Amino acid sequence: MVLKEIDSKKFRDMVRVATHRIGRNAEFVNSLNVFPVPDGDTGTNMNLTIESGAKAVAENPSTKVGDLTESLSKGMLMGARGNSGVISSQLFRGFYKATQGMNTLNAQELANAFTNGVATAYKAVMKPVEGTILTVARVAAQEGANKANETDDVEAVMKAIVEGAKKSLKTTPDLLPVLKQVGVVDSGGQGLLFIYEGFLEGILGENFADQYQPDAGEMDEMINAMHHQSVQSQLATQDIKNGYCTEIMVDLTADVPNKQPFNLEEFRKHLSSLGDSLLAVSDDEVAKVHIHTEHPGSVFQYGKQFGQLGKIKIDNMRIQHETIVNSNDEKQDSVDFAVIAVASGNGIRKLFESEGVNRIISGGQTMNPSTQDIIDAIKKSGAKKAIVLPNNGNIVMAAKQAAEVSDIPVGIVPTKTISQGLTAMLSFDADSSVDDNVKNMTEDLETVVSGEVTQANRDTVINEVEVHKNDYLGIVDGDIRVDDPDLIAATVKMVGKMLDEDSEIITIMFGRDANKDQAEQVQAQLEKKYDGLEFEIHDGGQPVYHFLVSVE
Amino acid sequence: MAVKIKTKDGLIDISNGVIATVVGSAATSNYGVVGMASKNAIRDGFDGILNRANYKRGVVVKSEDNEITVDVYIIIGYGLKISEVSRNVQNSVKFNLKNQLGINTKAVNVIVQNVKVLDE
C-alpha cells in the first residue's frame, strides 16, 4: 500500500525515532568532528538540540502536523547547541514555515518543507562552506523534490531524501580538504543523515539494524575512555554496582556442543540484562565483549553457547578503585610544596613518584582531566604552594585556568609530553619559590626531545607522511614523522630522527601493549647504528603508546 | 598596540590589524553571523555591515603578556539563538587565534550590535 500522507501520529513517530537514532550514535558523530573547531561535540550538540525539539512536540497535544512542526522548530531553537545545532534549528524553522497550519503532509508538501528548510538555513550564513551539513541538507532536499515530481508516495520521497543525504555525505571529504586530510566525512552531515534515517524509520514503522559498529581498535579506545571515566567519577567504592570488569572473545567459527546461531542484536540484548557499560562487537569470526557485571560466570556461560571462548579477563573494580582512592589519600599528609602531574600507566606514576611528585591525576591522550579535576588535586594536596605538570599539550590550558582560580600560588610548567615532565622534575627545588621553579623547570624542557610510538587508527596523510591503518607511528615532539608496519622498525627510525650530535641519554618507556624484550631489541638495533649512546629502559605501563622515548 | 610574542630567537610583533582580520574571518565563518559591525555604531551608522578590509573597526584587541582579550562586534540573523551563535563565535575565534597565530586568548567578548531580518 502506498502511503499518501503523513498525519500527526506518523510525524510524532518520525521525530521520536530520529531523536533516538541520533542519541544512540552521538558518540560516533563526536568522533568525526574536526571542522570548524575540532572539539568533538557535534553529536552531543545535535542530540541535545533535537531532544529539546522532540520534548516540545511530545508536550503539544495537537492533531495537526503544522502545529507539531511549529513546536519542533521552537523547541530546537530554544535548545540549539553548537554550530550544527543552530543550523539544524534553522533547517526545521524553514520546514515549519512551509507546513504552517497544515493538517497532514503529502509527498509534494513534505519535499517542499525540506527545500524551504534549506533555503532558510542558507540565508543565515555569509559564506557557506561546502562539504558541511548545509551541503548534505541541500542535496537531500533536491533529491526529495525530484522524487516528489514523479510520485505521490511519501515513503518514496523520504527514501530519496535519505539516499541523497548519504550520497552527499560521501562527497564531503572531496569538498572540504580538512576532512580529507583526517580521513573522515563531515560530522554534522553524518548527524543529519541519522536524523533523516530516523524519519524514514518512523514512517516505515520499523527499525534499521545498521547501527554503527566500531572495530576492535576503536573498541579498545572506548574501553579505555570508559575506565578513565569511572576512575574520575570519584564515586565511593561501595557505590560500584557491577564490580567485575569482564572481557571475553568468542571464536564463532569453533564447534561447540549445542551451538546456537549468533545474532549480535540478541546477544547484546541478553548481555545488557547482566550488567552495564556494555560494549559488544563482532564480525563473522569473532565476537568481543566488554561488560561490568556482578556475574562474570553468567557472561562466560552465555558466550560459550556461540563458540569457543578465546581471551578472557576479569578485573575486580572494587579492589582497583580502593587502591586508587587509597593511593590518593596516602599522600594526604600535607606537604609544604606539592608537585602534581598528569599521567597514566602504573610504571609512569612510579617514575614520577620516585622523582618527588606528590600527587598524580589520571589522564593523558584519551581522557583529558578537566580544570575541576586539577583544582581538586591541588586542594587535596593540602600544600601551601604547588607546581602542576600537565604532560600533554591539550591539558596546559585547563591547568592554567586551575592555577588562576586556586587559593594558593600555583605554577604551571607547560610540559607537553611525559618525557618533558620527567626532565622538568630534575630541576625541581622544594626550597625555591614557585616562580623560580617554573623558570628553572621550563628552561630544561628544550634539552629533551620527546618521541611517542602508537598505532594508527585510520588511513591518512599528515605532514607528508603516508599513514596506514594499524601501522605504527613515530611522533616526534607532537608531529607524526614515521610510519612503519613493524613496531621495532618504526621506533628505531623515529629515534634516528630525534638524535643530533649532542644526544647522550635515551630513555625508553614501554607501555601496556609492548614489552621489555621489544624495548631491548630497539636498544640493540640503535647501538649497532650509533656510537656513544646510553640507554635506560623502564616499564611505563601506559595505555595508547607502545613506547615513550626521550633523548637528552 | 600590538601583540608581542617572545621566542628564543627574538621578538615577534603581530599588529592589531592582523589579529582583527583573523578574528573577523573566524567570527563571520560561523553559522548565523551575517556580518561584522562597527564598534562605533553611532559614528559609523547602526546597521552598517563591515567589509573585510574594515574588520578592524569591529574588533578591539587588548593585550597583556602573551595573552589577549578580544571584543567582537557582530550582526546576527533573526530567528537564531543568539547566545549559542555567540558561543560558537567565541570558540572559533579562540581556536583560530591559537591555531594561526599561536596566541592564547584570555577572553572573547561578543557584542551583538544588531539583528538582521532575513526575508522569509
Side-chain angles (χ1 to χ4, degrees):
Chain A
M1 206 188 75
V2 173
L3 184 70
K4 293 250 169 91
E5 51 181 34
I6 292 172
D7 59 11
S8 62
K9 194 177 157 298
K10 234 0 167 208
F11 188 74
R12 285 176 196 280
D13 286 347
M14 288 165 65
V15 173
R16 207 180 48 239
V17 180
T19 310
H20 184 57
R21 191 170 177 81
I22 180 90
R24 267 191 319 184
N25 292 292
E27 275 304 313
F28 172 60
V29 176
N30 286 345
S31 74
L32 300 175
N33 183 195
V34 293
F35 178 86
V37 178
D39 43 11
D41 58 2
T42 302
T44 311
N45 287 338
M46 288 185 83
N47 184 28
L48 288 169
T49 305
I50 193 160
E51 251 178 15
S52 165
K55 191 160 167 275
V57 170
E59 282 165 1
N60 185 343
S62 172
T63 53
K64 288 168 79 173
V65 171
D67 292 345
L68 299 185
T69 57
E70 180 174 6
S71 291
L72 179 68
S73 157
K74 279 205 179 128
M76 286 179 74
L77 175 65
M78 301 304 288
R81 285 268 302 257
N83 247 308
S84 47
V86 174
I87 298 176
S88 320
S89 78
Q90 287 305 288
L91 285 169
F92 285 99
R93 200 165 95 95
F95 192 98
Y96 144 63
K97 291 278 178 195
T99 55
Q100 216 167 356
M102 291 181 181
N103 281 319
T104 59
L105 298 182
N106 64 27
Q108 192 67 54
E109 286 160 349
L110 180 71
N112 286 347
F114 278 105
T115 308
N116 198 52
V118 171
T120 304
Y122 264 88
K123 269 177 202 149
V125 60
M126 282 178 76
K127 16 178 193 190
V129 181
E130 289 302 334
T132 65
I133 180 171
L134 284 169
T135 314
V136 173
R138 193 190 61 210
V139 175
Q142 185 60 47
E143 298 280 318
N146 293 348
K147 191 48 119 184
N149 288 336
E150 296 165 14
T151 174
D152 56 359
D153 182 357
V154 173
E155 243 177 67
V157 171
M158 195 64 228
K159 256 186 201 147
I161 288 168
V162 168
E163 287 310 314
K166 255 188 209 159
K167 194 176 75 181
S168 171
L169 181 65
K170 275 196 198 126
T171 66
T172 54
D174 299 323
L175 296 168
L176 199 55
V178 58
L179 300 177
K180 189 154 210 162
Q181 203 192 3
V182 184
V184 295
V185 294
D186 179 60
S187 55
Q190 174 70 67
L192 189 67
L193 174 60
F194 282 132
I195 291 175
Y196 286 179
E197 281 176 343
F199 281 168
L200 180 58
E201 285 179 27
I203 291 178
L204 296 170
E206 64 186 42
N207 282 348
F208 293 142
D210 63 344
Q211 190 186 348
Y212 176 74
Q213 281 298 318
D215 64 24
E218 284 171 295
M219 172 129 162
D220 285 342
E221 190 133 317
M222 283 156 77
I223 292 173
N224 270 339
M226 197 168 277
H227 284 173
H228 279 299
Q229 243 158 20
S230 20
V231 170
Q232 295 208 328
S233 56
Q234 312 241 337
L235 74 180
T237 306
Q238 62 270 26
D239 287 348
I240 296 180
K241 249 192 283 162
N242 293 300
Y244 299 96
C245 169
T246 309
E247 281 177 51
I248 60 170
M249 296 246 273
V250 186
D251 178 359
L252 300 172
T253 58
D255 254 336
V256 289
N258 300 326
K259 185 168 172 161
Q260 306 286 319
F262 181 81
N263 173 310
L264 184 62
E265 278 298 306
E266 277 173 27
F267 185 71
R268 200 179 272 150
K269 210 160 129 199
H270 179 85
L271 285 173
S272 67
S273 67
L274 296 174
D276 58 19
S277 301
L278 171 69
L279 295 167
V281 292
S282 77
D283 56 22
D284 293 341
E285 288 162 9
V286 180
K288 191 172 178 186
V289 177
H290 162 267
I291 186 169
H292 295 172
T293 177
E294 270 302 278
H295 312 284
S298 311
V299 176
F300 298 161
Q301 289 287 352
Y302 182 67
K304 236 170 60 186
Q305 298 174 16
F306 304 99
Q308 207 160 294
L309 295 187
K311 200 179 101 187
I312 47 182
K313 192 203 88 178
I314 318 174
D315 290 328
N316 184 328
M317 296 192 296
R318 292 195 182 88
I319 295 177
Q320 283 181 334
H321 189 258
E322 265 170 12
T323 321
I324 291 165
V325 171
N326 292 345
S327 73
N328 280 350
D329 287 347
E330 274 166 26
K331 301 287 174 315
Q332 209 90 29
D333 43 26
S334 62
V335 284
D336 210 36
F337 197 155
V339 184
I340 296 156
V342 180
S344 54
N346 274 331
I348 289 179
R349 285 165 167 264
K350 283 194 195 115
L351 280 174
F352 272 115
E353 281 168 7
S354 72
E355 286 193 315
V357 167
N358 308 85
R359 187 164 280 269
I360 309 271
I361 305 170
S362 262
Q365 196 56 38
T366 43
M367 188 73 196
N368 294 338
S370 65
T371 304
Q372 189 61 47
D373 294 331
I374 297 167
I375 293 170
D376 289 347
I378 294 171
K379 274 197 189 135
K380 278 186 194 151
S381 73
K384 295 193 186 78
K385 46 191 176 173
I387 294 275
V388 178
L389 304 172
N391 297 336
N392 184 312
N394 292 333
I395 306 172
V396 175
M397 277 292 250
K400 281 191 176 151
Q401 280 168 351
E404 271 172 33
V405 298
S406 175
D407 301 330
I408 59 167
V410 176
I412 309 296
V413 181
T415 52
K416 290 184 178 153
T417 61
I418 296 285
S419 310
Q420 283 192 343
L422 290 168
T423 306
M425 262 324 273
L426 298 175
S427 319
F428 174 67
D429 174 7
D431 295 329
S432 300
S433 69
V434 170
D435 287 346
D436 284 348
N437 265 306
V438 168
K439 189 166 155 279
N440 295 335
M441 292 167 83
T442 309
E443 262 173 17
D444 282 348
L445 296 185
E446 281 167 24
T447 63
V448 60
V449 186
S450 314
E452 296 156 334
V453 180
T454 187
Q455 213 165 3
N457 57 12
R458 56 169 70 98
D459 289 340
T460 181
V461 177
I462 289 176
N463 303 334
E464 292 167 17
V465 178
E466 207 172 302
V467 174
H468 302 284
K469 190 171 169 166
N470 296 333
D471 273 7
Y472 295 91
L473 302 178
I475 303 167
V476 179
D477 282 337
D479 290 328
I480 295 180
R481 298 283 296 277
V482 172
D483 172 281
D484 197 290
D486 182 72
L487 174 61
I488 309 293
T491 312
V492 171
K493 273 191 216 165
M494 177 187 81
V495 175
K497 290 187 192 285
M498 295 163 69
L499 294 172
D500 63 24
E501 63 265 37
D502 297 332
S503 303
E504 284 170 1
I505 306 168
I506 297 179
T507 312
I508 302 174
M509 283 163 278
F510 59 93
R512 212 172 53 188
D513 303 321
N515 54 47
K516 194 170 184 183
D517 250 19
Q518 292 171 318
E520 282 168 354
Q521 283 178 46
V522 171
Q523 175 180 351
Q525 292 197 19
L526 285 168
E527 277 174 341
K528 240 186 263 168
K529 278 173 97 169
Y530 305 98
D531 288 334
L533 294 174
E534 258 181 68
F535 288 87
E536 264 185 55
I537 294 179
H538 296 286
D539 178 0
Q542 71 273 9
V544 184
Y545 297 108
H546 297 70
F547 291 116
L548 294 173
V549 182
S550 65
V551 174
E552 285 160 79
Chain B
M1 268 263 288
V3 176
K4 291 180 181 14
I5 301 172
K6 286 188 200 101
T7 77
K8 66 177 167 47
D9 300 323
L11 203 65
I12 299 175
D13 213 310
I14 300 174
S15 88
N16 277 3
V18 173
I19 295 173
T21 305
V22 171
V23 169
S25 298
T28 52
S29 68
N30 272 279
Y31 186 84
V33 177
V34 295
M36 296 286 294
S38 167
K39 57 182 179 276
N40 294 314
I42 296 173
R43 200 183 65 203
D44 295 346
F46 271 103
D47 42 8
I49 290 183
L50 299 176
N51 60 28
R52 190 174 290 243
N54 287 331
Y55 277 170
K56 61 174 176 289
R57 280 202 274 164
V59 179
V60 180
V61 183
K62 291 173 220 122
S63 68
E64 42 181 286
D65 298 332
N66 278 355
E67 281 195 329
I68 61 170
T69 301
V70 182
D71 296 346
V72 197
Y73 291 74
I74 56 169
I75 299 171
I76 289 183
Y78 175 77
L80 290 125
K81 193 175 179 191
I82 291 179
S83 60
E84 203 53 33
V85 173
S86 308
R87 199 195 320 271
N88 293 337
V89 169
Q90 290 173 322
N91 285 338
S92 66
V93 165
K94 217 167 180 158
F95 175 75
N96 279 288
L97 283 174
K98 178 81 203 160
N99 206 27
Q100 294 175 33
L101 304 180
I103 299 177
N104 289 325
T105 324
K106 195 167 168 205
V108 179
N109 302 314
V110 176
I111 298 97
V112 181
Q113 193 80 313
N114 205 349
V115 170
K116 186 164 189 262
V117 179
L118 314 155
D119 43 312
E120 299 273 340

